C-alpha cells in the first residue's frame, strides 16, 4: 500500500460547474477525513467518516458540498455550482484507531 | 476564533543549530497534539505527537514539549538540516476528552528555512 491517494492532483474549472474528487485511503484505515487548505492557512476540517458513516460535518461544508464513502473504502467529495472562493487545496487523510492521520498529496482546485 | 496559534510565520536557522517552533492553544478540551511538516504541492507529513498525559516526547532529532498550564507546545529540531526547510503545522484534537471529536485543528504554520 503506497499511502493515501487522491485524484486528480489538479483541477481547473469554470465558475458554476460541478467537480468531484476521489480519495483512496490506506486500506486498513477505517477513518477518513476531508480538509481544505487555502493560501497562508492551515488545513481546515470539512468532514469525517468512520467506515461508511459520515459522523462529523463542519459548518464550512455548505449545501453545495457533499461527501460520500459508500462502501467504507474510497470517498468522493463533490462541489456543485463552484465559486471562486472554492479555490483551494482539498486534502484527504485516513487513520485507524491508534495511528496519526496520514494525508494524501491533495487536489488543487482552481475556479476561473 | 483561532484555537491553535502559531505566531511566527517564519523562522531562519543556521544548519547544525537548534530550531524551536512554538504553538499555543486555547481549547482546554484538546488532549492530543501533533506536528506535521509540509513541502509545497504535497500533503502534510506526520512528524511527532504528544498526549496530554506527557510533557515531552522525543524521536531522533525531533522533540516536542507540552506545557498544559500555559497551553503551549514547542517542537525542537536538533541539529537542524537544510532538508528540514518546510512549513511546520501544529495540530490538536480532543479525541479522548469526551467531546467525541476526531477532527484535527491546525495552526497557520511556520515556514522554517535552514541555511547551509
Amino acid at each position: 500500500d503506497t499511502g493515501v491517494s487522491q485524484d486528480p492532483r489538479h483541477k481547473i474549472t469554470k465558475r458554476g460547474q460541478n467537480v468531484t474528487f476521489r480519495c483512496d485511503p490506506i486500506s486498513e484505515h477505517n477513518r477518513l477525513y476531508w480538509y481544505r487548505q487555502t493560501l497562508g492557512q492551515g488545513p481546515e476540517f470539512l468532514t469525517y467518516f468512520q467506515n461508511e458513516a459520515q459522523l462529523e460535518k463542519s459548518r464550512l461544508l455548505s449545501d453545495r458540498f457533499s461527501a460520500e464513502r459508500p462502501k467504507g473504502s474510497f470517498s468522493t467529495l463533490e462541489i456543485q455550482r463552484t465559486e471562486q472562493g472554492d479555490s483551494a487545496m482539498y486534502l484527504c487523510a485516513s487513520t485507524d484507531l491508534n495511528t496519526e492521520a496520514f494525508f494524501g498529496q491533495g487536489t488543487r482546485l482552481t475556479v476561473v | 476564533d483561532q484555537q491553535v496559534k502559531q505566531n511566527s510565520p517564519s523562522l531562519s536557522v543556521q544548519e547544525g543549530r537548534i530550531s524551536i517552533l512554538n504553538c499555543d492553544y486555547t481549547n482546554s478540551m484538546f488532549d492530543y497534539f501533533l506536528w506535521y511538516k509540509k513541502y509545497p504541492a504535497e500533503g502534510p507529513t506526520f512528524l511527532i505527537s504528544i498526549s496530554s498525559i506527557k510533557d515531552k516526547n522525543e524521536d531522533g532529532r525531533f522533540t516536542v514539549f507540552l506545557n498544559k498550564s500555559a497551553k503551549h507546545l514547542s517542537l525542537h529540531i536538533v541539529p537542524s538540516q537544510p532538508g528540514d526547510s518546510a512549513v511546520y503545522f501544529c495540530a490538536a484534537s480532543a479525541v479522548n476528552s469526551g467531546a467525541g471529536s476526531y477532527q484535527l485543528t491546525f495552526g497557520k504554520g511556520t515556514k522554517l528555512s535552514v541555511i547551509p
Side-chain angles (χ1 to χ4, degrees), chain B residues 5-74:
Chain B
K5 298 177 184 178
Q6 294 178 257
N7 291 320
S8 298
S10 62
L11 175 68
S12 289
V13 172
Q14 286 289 132
E15 180 179 3
R17 306 295 290 269
I18 185 171
S19 295
I20 300 176
L21 296 96
N22 293 305
C23 177
D24 297 291
Y25 62 96
T26 58
N27 188 340
S28 58
M29 300 290 277
F30 288 148
D31 55 11
Y32 193 64
F33 305 89
L34 308 90
W35 285 93
Y36 282 84
K37 175 180 179 179
K38 188 179 184 299
Y39 294 115
E42 293 186 10
T45 303
F46 169 73
L47 265 181
I48 192 168
S49 62
I50 187 166
S51 164
S52 60
I53 63 173
K54 295 186 175 182
D55 55 17
K56 178 182 174 181
N57 189 26
E58 193 171 352
D59 184 3
R61 297 186 298 113
F62 302 92
T63 303
V64 55
F65 295 92
L66 175 62
N67 182 334
K68 281 194 299 182
S69 60
K71 293 190 174 68
H72 177 84
L73 63 156
S74 60

Side-chain angles (χ1 to χ4, degrees), chain A residues 9 31 33 35 37 40-43 45 48 56 89 91 100-101 103-105, chain B residues 32 34 36 38 41-44 46 49 89 100-104 106-108:
Chain A
R9 291 290 307 277
R31 294 179 182 165
Y33 304 79
Y35 286 81
Q37 185 178 17
Q41 303 293 317
F45 172 78
Y48 153 65
E56 280 189 76
M89 174 77 85
L91 294 162
E100 293 69 33
F103 283 83
Q105 292 189 300
Chain B
Y32 193 64
L34 308 90
Y36 282 84
K38 188 179 184 299
E42 293 186 10
F46 169 73
S49 62
F89 290 99
S101 174
Y102 296 93
Q103 64 175 275
L104 293 174
F106 284 82
K108 291 187 176 184

Side-chain angles (χ1 to χ4, degrees), chain B residues 82-102:
Chain B
D84 296 329
S85 297
V87 178
Y88 288 78
F89 290 99
C90 172
S93 72
V95 61
N96 293 314
S97 66
S101 174
Y102 296 93

